[in-house]
């Protein structure tokens, strides 16, 4: 088995660390993201087909494959950890949030997965691209 870990670049958001954490730690707050997704779905070329969520989980349907991420740990104001639930590969994702000033924060997304060597070749590129796209999306949310 190979451990794959990908980290996004650091993204700056013009909101306080507390506002960012409070929004992301309750996934029901992502309703505005789903509304925006519906508006740009045609630009995604069928890659992201659907998104649903509740307080503790987020389910994405990407190219016919469903992936559910469930929050397994909340470290107030600093980190939210997710685990893949019913995902095609074992997957963990975490969002780290750090203060820059009272009105600005920075965040970074990390994805880690344990896969066999055959799967490594198939999932490396999608995971490395995905971690950056997730971080980009999170940096654009109005908190």
């Amino acid at each position: 088995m190979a451990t794959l870990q990908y980290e996004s670049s650091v993204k700056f958001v013009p909101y306080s660390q507390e506002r960012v954490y409070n929004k992301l730690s309750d996934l029901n707050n992502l309703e505005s993201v789903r509304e925006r997704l519906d508006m740009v779905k045609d630009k995604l070329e069928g890659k992201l087909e659907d998104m649903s969520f509740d307080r503790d989980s987020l389910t994405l349907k990407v190219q016919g494959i469903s992936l559910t991420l469930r929050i397994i740990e909340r470290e107030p104001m600093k980190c939210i950890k997710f685990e893949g639930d019913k995902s095609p590969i074992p997957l963990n994702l975490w969002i780290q949030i750090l203060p820059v000033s009272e009105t600005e924060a920075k965040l970074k997304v990390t994805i880690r997965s344990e896969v066999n060597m055959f799967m490594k070749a198939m999932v490396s590129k999608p995971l490395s691209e995905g971690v950056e796209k997730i971080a980009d999306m999170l940096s654009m949310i109005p908190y």
Side-chain angles (χ1 to χ4, degrees):
M1 291 294 245
T3 300
L4 302 177
Q5 182 167 315
Y6 300 97
E7 296 180 357
S8 72
S9 56
V10 174
K11 306 293 180 182
F12 290 86
V13 289
Y15 300 94
S16 70
Q17 176 187 25
E18 184 177 2
R19 281 182 69 169
V20 173
Y21 175 84
N22 288 339
K23 180 135 187 173
L24 296 178
S25 64
D26 180 348
L27 298 176
N28 284 320
N29 293 329
L30 297 181
E31 188 62 42
S32 63
V33 175
R34 182 174 40 208
E35 290 166 4
R36 190 174 301 159
L37 172 67
D38 289 339
M39 291 188 295
V40 298
K41 217 178 233 185
D42 55 324
K43 293 179 186 166
L44 297 174
E45 299 156 8
K47 289 185 179 168
L48 182 56
E49 298 164 18
D50 195 21
M51 179 169 87
S52 60
F53 44 84
D54 59 30
R55 183 179 189 280
D56 296 319
S57 67
L58 167 69
T59 301
L60 303 169
K61 188 171 183 183
V62 181
Q63 294 178 327
I65 299 170
S66 285
L67 170 65
T68 299
L69 294 171
R70 186 166 312 285
I71 294 177
I72 57 169
E73 185 179 334
R74 291 175 175 90
E75 188 178 340
M77 306 312 143
K78 295 180 184 176
C79 188
I80 304 161
K81 295 183 181 181
F82 297 81
E83 185 174 74
D85 183 18
K86 302 177 198 146
S87 64
I89 58 171
L91 183 73
N92 289 86
L93 179 144
W94 57 99
I95 303 167
Q96 296 167 285
I97 309 159
L98 293 170
V100 174
S101 68
E102 297 220 355
T103 59
E104 187 179 31
K106 58 185 178 180
L107 60 84
K108 181 171 77 170
V109 178
T110 304
I111 292 177
R112 181 181 293 159
S113 182
E114 293 280 334
V115 295
N116 63 37
M117 289 310 209
F118 173 73
M119 290 294 291
K120 181 179 178 182
M122 290 174 46
V123 301
S124 288
K125 186 176 180 190
L127 288 178
S128 64
E129 290 174 356
V131 73
E132 198 63 34
K133 287 178 182 166
I134 292 168
D136 285 340
M137 181 188 76
L138 293 174
S139 71
M140 291 185 257
I141 294 173
Y143 292 93

